[in-house]
Amino acid sequence: MKVRRSERLIDMTHYLLEHPHELIPLTFFAKRYESAKSSISEDLAIVKKTFKERGTGILDTIPGAAGGVLFVPEIPYEDAKKYITDLAERLSEQDRLLPGGYVYLSDLLGEPELLRQVGRIIASKYLGQKIDAVMTVATKGVPIAQAVSSYLNVPFVIVRRDSKITEGSTVSVNYVSGSSERIEKMELSKRSLKRGSRVLVVDDFMKGGGTVNGMKSLIEEFECELVGVTVFAETKFKGIKAIKDYTSLLYVEDVDTKTKTISVVPGNYFTA
Ligand SMILES: O=P(O)(O)OC[C@H]1C[C@H](OP(=O)(O)OP(=O)(O)O)[C@H](O)[C@@H]1O
């Protein structure tokens, strides 16, 4: 039964939002709605225009028999800036400060809406760049990696600091944990990354940068390519950070251990 345009537009938009970075042939929609390809092309032009005007993302049209449409999510700069600025205020609450200058984030990183927004903001940073996998380290980086990978439609891989029999054979590297200035080890299952993969590293928090630097070494061990590094939050570090090229959404600019207060501002995401 032929489907009316208004219904096609609703269902088509839902399908595209659910399948980012996936090339969808026009014939798929023509069959789904029992409509002519010319009608589908008109529908997609409406969706493309609305996505662009609303900052939902880009609807690329790939011509030819093997062509189709491909939805690339993004977030307008102003929307990202406002969201992160509001989050910075929220983080500047009392009693988030932990020993060693860490910040309690687990409540925030358990909120589905926050993870959706953070995933979209981080994915938008790498618009147009080929990414084959997102990498993070257990544990608190995992929800962020999952959110980013769902927007990029690529797998995420979890680096571990402890050996797990269920990971099979692994590649491990030693790294200097900037925070504890100790030599620590991290490892990744050999099955996780194909040689030559382009990898985006994300994590929840950066202090000395040793953890991210360890993941950078792992990427080299796998003969893969580091596309970039984005952390949810970073804090000042008394020494020299182990890594220079990274983006942070939030920056803990001041910590008062007496009053247990912190001052958080937007990170270098908006300036880098
Ligand atoms: O920049 P660095 O000085 O290396 O510190 C950042 C590390 C430390 C902390 O992990 P932990 O809290 O140790 O581990 P988990 O994520 O499992 O809680 C955080 O999640 C980053 O991974």
Side-chain angles (χ1 to χ4, degrees):
M1 188 242 323
K2 206 161 174 300
V3 178
R4 286 180 308 169
R5 166 153 289 170
S6 55
E7 291 171 44
R8 294 202 305 264
L9 288 172
I10 293 167
D11 184 71
M12 185 182 278
T13 300
H14 177 255
Y15 190 89
L16 287 165
L17 291 173
E18 295 268 302
H19 298 82
H21 292 276
E22 188 178 314
L23 182 61
I24 305 163
L26 266 59
T27 47
F28 169 82
F29 287 123
K31 281 195 195 104
R32 188 178 174 95
Y33 307 122
E34 294 181 39
S35 302
K37 276 172 69 172
S38 55
S39 306
I40 299 300
S41 296
E42 289 162 9
D43 296 344
L44 288 167
I46 296 168
V47 176
K48 182 185 182 96
K49 181 171 175 290
T50 308
F51 276 7
K52 187 167 172 16
E53 285 167 0
R54 296 284 172 178
T56 313
I58 301 157
L59 192 60
D60 275 340
T61 311
I62 292 89
V69 284
L70 185 139
F71 169 58
V72 179
E74 67 168 341
I75 184 168
Y77 178 89
E78 287 313 318
D79 292 4
K81 183 77 186 281
K82 177 165 184 344
Y83 188 81
I84 295 297
T85 304
D86 294 348
L87 209 46
E89 273 171 45
R90 200 175 154 198
L91 244 76
S92 303
E93 293 159 353
Q94 287 234 351
D95 72 33
R96 276 194 180 276
L97 185 62
L98 298 170
Y102 286 95
V103 176
Y104 181 72
L105 298 173
S106 298
D107 55 338
L108 301 175
L109 298 180
E111 293 179 9
E113 173 55 18
L114 180 142
L115 289 167
R116 269 194 296 277
Q117 292 298 340
V118 166
R120 191 176 164 207
I121 291 169
I122 295 176
S124 296
K125 182 84 184 167
Y126 299 93
L127 218 53
Q129 295 188 52
K130 185 177 181 318
I131 291 170
D132 300 307
V134 178
M135 175 188 277
T136 192
V137 63
T139 305
K140 291 193 291 295
V142 172
I144 297 174
Q146 195 276 328
V148 176
S149 71
S150 65
Y151 275 100
L152 295 175
N153 193 24
V154 297
F156 67 97
V157 296
I158 305 172
V159 173
R160 295 177 181 279
R161 294 187 178 97
D162 54 352
S163 295
K164 290 267 179 196
I165 192 83
T166 49
E167 291 292 298
S169 55
T170 61
V171 174
S172 69
V173 293
N174 296 320
Y175 67 99
V176 177
S177 163
S179 311
S180 51
E181 284 166 9
R182 281 197 322 267
I183 299 281
E184 303 207 26
K185 190 175 94 160
M186 57 169 63
E187 59 183 61
L188 180 65
S189 166
K190 277 189 180 158
R191 294 169 168 79
S192 295
L193 286 176
K194 282 199 203 81
R195 178 182 299 158
S197 299
R198 289 170 52 81
V199 182
L200 169 62
V201 168
V202 298
D203 203 359
D204 65 310
F205 195 73
M206 179 191 283
K207 191 177 171 197
T211 302
V212 165
N213 208 32
M215 287 192 268
K216 207 174 151 190
S217 309
L218 261 179
I219 289 169
E220 286 160 13
E221 285 298 315
F222 274 81
E223 295 179 57
C224 289
E225 198 180 332
L226 176 66
V227 173
V229 175
T230 296
V231 293
F232 174 67
E234 65 164 316
T235 188
K236 268 186 198 145
F237 180 61
K238 60 182 181 313
I240 299 165
K241 286 203 190 227
I243 185 162
K244 289 185 177 42
D245 292 334
Y246 65 89
T247 307
S248 61
L249 302 190
L250 296 158
Y251 178 58
V252 182
E253 67 172 355
D254 201 13
V255 162
D256 184 333
T257 44
K258 289 196 192 64
T259 59
K260 286 192 75 178
T261 52
I262 58 175
S263 162
V264 184
V265 294
N268 68 13
Y269 177 98
F270 300 97
T271 52

